[in-house]
């Protein structure tokens, strides 16, 4: 069976104490969906905030807050272009072969998968490894690392890939609904802007956030 999941690249959570997070290692992946525990949602929010925790100079930009929480959320809440490291992971459960996003790939780049089906017929997703998707007639071939001559591959029908991509969008929407409830409990003073920022980072439409 072929499984496709939206995944977020994680980092080590040791020492993080601004809100509860799940124990997580560096350079691993957390699958996003509606079945995450509150601690896993906290890990995902932490990681997306960390991806955007940078200082950008510019006239009129807001000052970075001095309190630890405001400081950590500053980039997420003030940057125009947000980034969530990761992408789509495809696993063949029969063989154990998995195509994972490479370095510098973002979840917003999942739209490139549609180019494989309906556009140029190919797309790549980061480097080290360098995953590649190519349309070959009615089949899509996924090369785990295009830099390796003998790289493992996964093949699946285009019709199946289209269905799996739609499922991934539902998984991301389900995660965002969890994040809305999570933020109301753990970040009550920042819940609305954080949830709106998460939607932008994940390239999702921002639903109305219910007031407490």
């Amino acid at each position: 069976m072929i499984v496709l999941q939206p995944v977020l690249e994680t980092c080590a959570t040791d020492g993080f104490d601004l809100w509860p997070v799940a124990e997580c290692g560096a350079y691993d992946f957390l699958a996003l969906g509606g079945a995450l525990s509150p601690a896993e949602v906290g890990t995902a929010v932490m990681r997306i905030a960390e991806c955007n925790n940078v200082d950008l100079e510019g006239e009129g930009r807001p000052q970075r807050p001095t309190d630890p929480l405001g400081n950590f959320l500053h980039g997420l809440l003030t940057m125009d272009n947000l980034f969530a490291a990761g992408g789509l992971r495809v696993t063949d459960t029969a063989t154990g072969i998995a195509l994972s996003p490479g370095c510098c790939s973002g979840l917003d780049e999942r739209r490139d998968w549609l180019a494989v089906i309906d556009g140029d017929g190919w797309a790549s997703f980061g480097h080290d490894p360098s995953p590649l998707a190519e349309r070959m007639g009615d089949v899509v071939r996924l090369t785990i690392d295009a830099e390796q001559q003998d790289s493992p591959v996964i093949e699946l029908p285009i019709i199946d890939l289209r269905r799996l991509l739609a499922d991934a969008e539902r998984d991301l929407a389900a995660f965002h609904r969890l994040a809305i409830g999570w933020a109301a409990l753990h970040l009550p003073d920042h819940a609305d802007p954080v949830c709106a920022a998460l939607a932008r980072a994940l390239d999702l439409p921002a639903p109305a956030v219910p007031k407490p």
Side-chain angles (χ1 to χ4, degrees):
M1 181 173 68
I2 304 297
V3 176
L4 186 150
Q5 299 167 299
V7 295
L8 183 69
E9 182 185 291
T10 63
C11 61
T13 54
D14 297 345
F16 184 83
D17 60 1
L18 293 177
W19 56 75
V21 294
E23 184 176 344
C24 201
Y27 306 111
D28 201 353
F29 291 103
L30 175 65
L32 301 182
L36 296 183
S37 69
E40 288 172 327
V41 176
T43 298
V45 176
M46 181 209 77
R47 178 53 177 151
I48 296 172
E50 185 180 57
C51 285
N52 298 282
N53 191 18
V54 297
D55 286 312
L56 295 178
E57 297 180 357
E59 184 178 353
R61 290 197 59 82
Q63 292 291 319
R64 179 177 284 273
T66 57
D67 66 286
L69 179 58
N71 186 291
F72 185 71
L73 294 175
H74 178 69
L76 181 67
L77 300 184
T78 62
M79 287 180 59
D80 294 328
N81 299 313
L82 298 176
F83 177 73
L88 300 182
R89 179 175 63 193
V90 183
T91 305
D92 184 338
T93 61
T95 63
I97 296 173
L99 178 142
S100 298
C103 180
C104 302
S105 177
L107 270 159
D108 60 306
E109 295 177 55
R110 69 186 185 279
R111 308 298 183 196
D112 293 348
W113 284 87
L114 296 177
V116 178
I117 297 175
D118 300 317
D120 295 338
W122 73 277
S124 59
F125 306 96
H127 57 88
D128 298 325
S130 299
L132 176 68
E134 301 172 281
R135 186 180 67 231
M136 306 180 70
D138 294 331
V139 171
V140 174
R141 171 175 288 181
L142 309 179
T143 302
I144 308 309
D145 188 351
E147 297 299 319
Q148 293 186 3
Q149 189 172 7
D150 58 348
S151 171
V153 299
I154 299 171
E155 293 187 348
L156 71 162
I158 285 178
I159 190 171
D160 290 351
L161 178 58
R162 194 183 298 277
R163 172 181 54 80
L164 291 169
L165 291 175
D167 290 343
E169 293 302 311
R170 286 189 283 270
D171 287 339
L172 284 170
F175 162 74
H176 192 255
R177 288 192 295 270
L178 280 183
I180 290 173
W182 178 92
L185 291 174
H186 295 280
L187 299 173
D189 294 334
H190 303 279
D192 287 7
V194 163
C195 291
L198 291 175
R200 291 197 294 118
L202 298 173
D203 194 17
L204 291 171
V209 179
K211 298 294 183 180

